[in-house]
Amino acid sequence: MARISGLLVALLAAFALLAPPASARTFFPTELRLPDGFQPEGIAIGAWPTAYFGSRADGRIYRASLVTGRGRVLSQGPGTPSLGIKVDSARGRLFVAGGTGGDARVLDARTGEVLASYRLAAEGAFVNDLVITREAVWFTDSFRPVLYKLPLGRHGELPAQREVGTVPLSGDIEHVPGEINGNGIVTSPDRKALLIGQSVTGRLFRVDPATGVARAVDLGGESLPHNDGQLRSGRDLYVVQNRANTVTRLELNRDGTAATVVRRATDPRFDVPATMAAFGPRFYLVNARFGTPPTPQTPYRAVAVDRF
């Protein structure tokens, strides 16, 4: 029976990927229940119908099926946060930002084994989010005006600790002490630069990864208050504005120097979403519930909405 059930799940997942968008919406649940007291922050989805969540309470990683909604703890945490999380689908790895722990971890996406751990900063850091490029993995720090760089080898080999780099940010960005600064991060459409949101100011910056020089992205007079996680698809940039319970879609120019707000969307199920990931015809957002006092019994969930 278990074998048949597993085969059915696999067939449903394959069918959803091949079928029209309406079929995927029919089969996949629209909400994913997370463990009570989990305090989620990040969500990542790779090339398969599985979502990964990080706990800001203790660093656990929770894995859930998008097909069934069921999940389990994949990796026990180090006792410090797991915030931003991204899947390296080609190599079956998870990269995790360690928040106030000042570190980063790399996990096996299948087994949860810790493949590597890196010290990025000493006390006073808030390693918040990350983006994976062909040459490196880049991390933001919300409490310090820097980016951290984990260089990758020609075939994606992980670096030694001594190879980890820190790139100071300069240019247009002005660091505000004691506030959430650099947060969500993606690449520009031409992949020559990094786009970083600054939560406290509602601004977006294009950063030269070689120099750290940041230039403000021209938003045509618009602002993105409470900007948190980001997702880019081609020239479309989606910005999660957590306490505004809003996702804003912007259209970027090719080099990421300018963007136009196309649409703002919300949903009654949003409860301070921190970030988002995509699979098939849907976006998945994790409700961080920052305004709700956390207890061991506090419920948490992720919600799915149609792409827009």
Side-chain angles (χ1 to χ4, degrees):
M1 184 67 181
R3 183 177 179 180
I4 294 175
S5 177
L7 178 60
L8 178 60
V9 167
L11 288 173
L12 285 175
F15 178 74
L17 291 176
L18 297 173
S23 297
R25 286 193 290 268
T26 299
F27 284 112
F28 286 24
T30 59
E31 296 184 6
L32 301 174
R33 176 77 180 268
L34 305 180
D36 289 348
F38 189 75
Q39 296 184 50
E41 170 91 5
I43 178 175
I45 302 172
W48 50 90
T50 300
Y52 299 86
F53 303 88
S55 167
R56 67 183 186 273
D58 56 18
R60 282 175 293 166
I61 302 298
Y62 184 79
R63 179 174 64 189
S65 167
L66 300 182
V67 181
T68 66
R70 294 193 297 268
R72 66 178 182 86
V73 173
L74 175 69
S75 176
Q76 295 295 334
T80 52
S82 290
L83 300 186
I85 179 171
K86 293 292 188 296
V87 182
D88 177 4
S89 296
R91 300 175 180 85
R93 304 184 298 203
L94 300 176
F95 287 84
V96 183
T100 52
D103 63 344
R105 306 194 314 283
V106 187
L107 308 179
D108 185 304
R110 183 179 63 86
T111 67
E113 175 190 358
V114 178
L115 303 176
S117 184
Y118 299 97
R119 172 58 49 191
L120 302 182
E123 294 183 2
F126 193 80
V127 185
N128 201 331
D129 208 350
L130 67 138
V131 64
I132 303 172
T133 71
R134 182 178 300 176
E135 298 82 15
V137 183
W138 295 90
F139 295 82
T140 57
D141 189 327
S142 295
F143 287 171
R144 303 177 67 204
V146 300
L147 294 178
Y148 304 111
K149 178 183 180 181
L150 295 186
L152 299 175
R154 182 178 179 183
H155 302 291
E157 296 89 351
L158 297 174
Q161 175 67 49
R162 66 179 180 277
E163 299 176 275
V164 175
T166 301
V167 179
L169 295 175
S170 60
D172 295 340
I173 192 166
E174 297 182 11
H175 185 77
V176 182
E179 300 290 344
I180 301 296
N181 288 270
N183 200 333
I185 179 172
V186 297
T187 56
S188 58
D190 62 7
R191 298 186 179 275
K192 293 181 179 180
L194 303 170
L195 301 178
I196 298 173
Q198 187 180 28
S199 298
V200 64
T201 63
R203 303 177 75 190
L204 186 67
F205 295 90
R206 182 186 188 274
V207 179
D208 182 339
T211 64
V213 174
R215 297 302 178 200
V217 176
D218 181 1
L219 300 180
E222 296 278 2
S223 180
L224 300 167
H226 308 295
N227 65 69
D228 201 330
Q230 298 182 169
L231 172 67
R232 183 179 65 78
S233 177
R235 292 195 182 183
D236 288 330
L237 176 66
Y238 296 87
V239 178
V240 180
Q241 295 173 247
N242 54 37
R243 294 184 184 274
N245 287 312
T246 299
V247 179
T248 297
R249 174 187 168 195
L250 303 99
E251 184 177 345
L252 295 159
N253 63 359
R254 187 172 184 276
D255 60 5
T257 56
T260 302
V261 171
V262 175
R263 179 180 172 185
R264 288 187 167 92
T266 188
D267 188 282
R269 298 170 299 158
F270 288 174
D271 193 351
V272 194
T275 190
M276 64 191 292
F279 190 82
R282 286 178 170 172
F283 292 131
Y284 292 81
L285 294 95
V286 58
N287 282 327
R289 308 194 71 190
F290 290 142
T292 301
T295 72
Q297 291 77 40
T298 302
Y300 293 96
R301 62 180 177 169
V303 298
V305 298
D306 292 342
R307 283 181 180 256
F308 62 90

